[in-house]
DNA sequence: CGGCCGATCCACT
DNA sequence: GTGGATCGGCCGA
């Protein structure tokens, strides 16, 4: 399956990248297990000019440094002390744009996902919610910085990448809303930067 | 070094 | 609809 190339992530419009990630497949080879899910919800974070972004005003810290890397890098951080949230860095090196992956529909390796969530069967929407996305595919905040354009499966080393499997998204099925949990961002809290693929 | 709070989830009522 | 879990990041002293 075609892995999304560097050029996909290098585009300058982070909002367009967030929209285009709908229908793509988030894949991981972690802990000797392969799992994947189709992306159905994303949020764009426009870096320096976006009050909701961790990198607002080009703020650099040990954590946000990853956001300044070249597009196609994974930015994963811990939220509420217990959830690893997975983001895709976009744009050129030095421009801290990112897309938060908020929801997936399980595809490959459902048995591993059930094991990771300690369940016998899937509930209604098992992969909706950014914390659940990471839980299902095995992503941990220690995986921040991984190169998303490199894939692999046969050594004991974590790999994370995104594939285009040819699923064609009907634009009429994309719902656009404001982002979740960013009330502190003032006017930027209302920006239409959240994309949901209604199946 | 202390303290506050977060791009959340789930069990329980 | 509500609150508890649970801890790294960040800021100010």
């Amino acid at each position: 399956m075609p892995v999304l190339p560097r050029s996909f992530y290098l585009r300058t419009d982070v909002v367009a990248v967030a929209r285009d990630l709908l229908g793509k497949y988030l894949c991981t080879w972690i802990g000797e297990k392969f799992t994947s899910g189709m992306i159905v919800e994303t949020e764009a974070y426009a870096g320096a000019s976006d009050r909701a972004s961790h990198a607002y005003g080009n703020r650099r810290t040990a954590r946000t440094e990853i956001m300044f890397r070249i597009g196609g890098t994974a930015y994963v951080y811990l939220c509420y002390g217990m959830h690893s949230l997975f983001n895709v860095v976009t744009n050129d090196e030095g421009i801290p744009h990112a897309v938060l992956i908020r929801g997936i529909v399980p595809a490959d390796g459902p048995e591993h996902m059930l094991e990771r969530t300690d369940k016998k069967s899937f509930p209604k929407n098992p992969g909706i919610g950014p914390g659940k996305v990471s839980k299902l595919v095995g992503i941990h905040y220690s995986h921040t910085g991984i190169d998303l354009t490199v894939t692999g499966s046969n050594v004991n080393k974590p790999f994370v990448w995104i594939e285009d499997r040819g699923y064609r998204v009907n634009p009429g099925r994309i719902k656009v809303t404001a982002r979740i949990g960013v009330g502190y961002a003032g006017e930027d809290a209302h920006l239409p930067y959240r994309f949901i693929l209604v199946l």
Side-chain angles (χ1 to χ4, degrees):
Chain A
M1 291 295 173
V3 175
L4 293 185
R6 182 74 65 192
S7 57
F8 179 91
Y9 302 106
L10 288 181
R11 286 181 295 158
T12 55
D13 185 352
V14 65
V15 177
V17 174
R19 198 168 42 228
D20 291 346
L21 279 169
L22 295 176
K24 302 298 191 291
Y25 284 75
L26 171 61
C27 307
T28 60
W29 176 268
I30 290 171
E32 299 287 312
K33 291 165 186 154
F34 172 63
T35 46
S36 77
M38 188 172 78
I39 297 169
V40 294
E41 187 176 334
T42 62
E43 277 179 3
Y45 286 84
S49 64
D50 182 356
R51 297 190 98 86
S53 171
H54 290 163
Y56 174 61
N58 279 321
R59 193 163 56 109
R60 284 178 184 261
T61 66
R63 179 177 66 154
T64 65
E65 193 63 31
I66 299 294
M67 300 179 79
F68 291 84
R69 291 202 194 169
I70 192 167
T73 300
Y75 171 53
V76 191
Y77 69 93
L78 185 66
C79 186
Y80 292 103
M82 63 190 85
H83 302 291
S84 287
L85 270 55
F86 171 71
N87 302 254
V88 173
V89 173
T90 71
N91 215 313
D92 282 321
E93 185 172 0
I95 302 176
H97 288 183
V99 176
L100 170 65
I101 306 302
R102 291 192 61 91
I104 59 170
V105 172
D108 298 293
E111 70 277 19
H112 302 315
M113 296 181 179
L114 288 171
E115 191 185 337
R116 283 167 178 157
T117 51
D118 205 27
K119 291 196 162 89
K120 290 273 188 293
S121 62
F122 281 128
K124 189 72 177 163
N125 293 305
I128 304 303
K132 295 197 226 173
V133 169
S134 298
K135 189 87 176 174
L136 289 181
V137 301
I139 292 175
H140 183 260
Y141 61 85
S142 63
H143 295 128
T144 194
I146 282 183
D147 186 344
L148 300 173
T149 65
V150 178
T151 179
S153 65
N154 51 8
V155 290
N156 190 16
K157 169 187 171 185
F159 287 96
V160 180
W161 69 97
I162 300 177
E163 294 178 357
D164 184 349
R165 296 189 179 177
Y167 182 88
R168 291 302 154 223
V169 172
N170 176 350
R173 291 286 189 162
I174 299 177
K175 189 178 159 193
V176 185
T177 77
R179 293 169 293 184
I180 300 295
V182 295
Y184 59 87
E187 291 299 307
D188 291 344
H190 309 301
L191 291 171
Y193 282 5
R194 177 175 177 231
F195 301 94
I196 302 163
L197 175 58
V198 182
L199 297 173

